[in-house]
Amino acid sequence: MTNDVSECEAVFWDIGGVLLDVKSARKSHWQFVEALADEYDLLLPVEDAIETWRAVVGQHFRERNGTEFRSSRAAYEKAVDEVTAESIPTDSWVPLFERIQRETLQPNVGAVETVKYLDEIDLHVGVVSDIDDKEAKLILDSFGVMQSFDSVTTSESVGWTKPNPRMFEAALRKAGVRPSNAVMIGDRYEHDMVGATEVGMCTVAYGADDGAAVDYHVEDLQTVIDLVEEKY
């Protein structure tokens, strides 16, 4: 174990897979494609349309150069055009997409309660996530925790994705804390655990593989409260 979570002054959260239940994100995309099918009379069956959607979005991110940021909004634009076989203006589909997100996206069990608890004690509570700024804000606002965060560091704002150290360094500067006094909660070993460890942060794995870069492993996000409350 490299760091002790009881010494923390800041706790940083990943969004997808930690705050956000990724199953609800898949459901959101499915419902959006169904809505596109109704709106644009797609020639493809919905099942084929969703597979096309996933393939286009996946290819968009596979074309990323190393850890350079690639926008999810740009990926969705490509996927909408491919699924509908048209060039659809963003202002025609984005409101629908965001409405479905707000109605469908769900937090992981214990995420909201834990964030709100940490906000009530003397800790900096932040986000470090490979996501677009606007999508991060929508998710946090939908879950009712936007005001609980002292900082939000996204890949769009930094220009890079985890495990690039610039992501973690930007978040630490916002918090004004040393890496050894900061905790990263993540669900991906190489991106979250290894990336945070390499800059000297403490790590809490939630769904991430175990390994040398993991200081603590939790199956229940509310366990994070137990890890830090001894100090307070």
Side-chain angles (χ1 to χ4, degrees), residues 27-82:
K27 180 180 179 180
S28 176
H29 289 184
W30 184 282
Q31 290 190 3
F32 175 64
V33 173
E34 286 183 324
L36 286 178
D38 291 339
E39 181 73 19
Y40 294 98
D41 296 324
L42 302 187
L43 297 177
L44 290 173
V46 173
E47 292 80 2
D48 293 342
I50 193 65
E51 287 303 316
T52 297
W53 170 277
R54 290 170 178 164
V56 172
V57 171
Q59 183 62 32
H60 173 82
F61 289 110
R62 282 192 295 272
E63 292 171 351
R64 178 165 46 208
N65 183 17
T67 59
E68 286 185 356
F69 168 71
R70 296 210 90 191
S71 168
S72 59
R73 176 59 58 85
Y76 303 152
E77 289 176 6
K78 293 178 183 178
V80 167
D81 289 352
E82 186 70 22

Side-chain angles (χ1 to χ4, degrees), residues 106-132:
Q106 296 292 323
N108 276 314
V109 174
V112 168
E113 296 84 353
T114 304
V115 167
K116 289 184 175 180
Y117 174 87
L118 297 178
D119 180 41
E120 293 174 355
I121 60 179
D122 189 20
L123 281 176
H124 181 102
V125 185
V127 161
V128 182
S129 183
D130 295 339
I131 194 171
D132 294 18

Side-chain angles (χ1 to χ4, degrees), residues 5-227:
V5 74
S6 67
E7 299 301 316
C8 74
E9 298 174 3
V11 177
F12 296 101
W13 295 73
D14 183 32
I15 292 183
V18 181
L19 286 172
L20 170 68
D21 179 353
V22 294
K23 291 181 180 178
S24 73
R26 297 190 192 104
K27 180 180 179 180
S28 176
H29 289 184
W30 184 282
Q31 290 190 3
F32 175 64
V33 173
E34 286 183 324
L36 286 178
D38 291 339
E39 181 73 19
Y40 294 98
D41 296 324
L42 302 187
L43 297 177
L44 290 173
V46 173
E47 292 80 2
D48 293 342
I50 193 65
E51 287 303 316
T52 297
W53 170 277
R54 290 170 178 164
V56 172
V57 171
Q59 183 62 32
H60 173 82
F61 289 110
R62 282 192 295 272
E63 292 171 351
R64 178 165 46 208
N65 183 17
T67 59
E68 286 185 356
F69 168 71
R70 296 210 90 191
S71 168
S72 59
R73 176 59 58 85
Y76 303 152
E77 289 176 6
K78 293 178 183 178
V80 167
D81 289 352
E82 186 70 22
V83 166
T84 62
E86 299 181 43
S87 182
I88 308 296
T90 56
D91 58 5
S92 295
W93 62 266
V94 167
L96 173 64
F97 183 74
E98 292 182 348
R99 177 178 63 78
I100 291 174
Q101 282 188 306
R102 288 185 179 277
E103 293 173 352
T104 310
L105 297 182
Q106 296 292 323
N108 276 314
V109 174
V112 168
E113 296 84 353
T114 304
V115 167
K116 289 184 175 180
Y117 174 87
L118 297 178
D119 180 41
E120 293 174 355
I121 60 179
D122 189 20
L123 281 176
H124 181 102
V125 185
V127 161
V128 182
S129 183
D130 295 339
I131 194 171
D132 294 18
D133 292 341
K134 190 172 183 180
E135 191 164 22
K137 182 178 179 180
L138 182 149
I139 292 169
L140 299 180
D141 184 62
S142 296
F143 294 170
V145 294
M146 187 69 216
Q147 300 305 315
S148 297
F149 284 95
D150 300 298
S151 67
V152 176
T153 301
T154 66
S155 288
E156 181 174 12
S157 66
V158 178
W160 305 91
T161 64
K162 296 174 289 184
N164 192 302
R166 280 172 275 200
M167 284 289 292
F168 303 99
E169 290 164 356
L172 291 166
R173 284 194 298 271
K174 292 177 183 178
V177 301
R178 295 179 300 175
S180 58
N181 296 124
V183 176
M184 179 68 207
I185 307 172
D187 69 317
R188 293 182 297 174
Y189 184 78
E190 292 296 333
H191 291 73
D192 299 314
M193 303 294 97
V194 173
T197 294
E198 288 183 348
V199 299
M201 298 171 69
C202 179
T203 60
V204 175
Y206 176 73
D209 293 336
D210 205 358
V214 174
D215 293 312
Y216 299 88
H217 202 111
V218 300
E219 296 184 3
D220 181 344
L221 286 170
Q222 290 185 290
T223 303
V224 174
I225 295 174
D226 300 328
L227 293 177

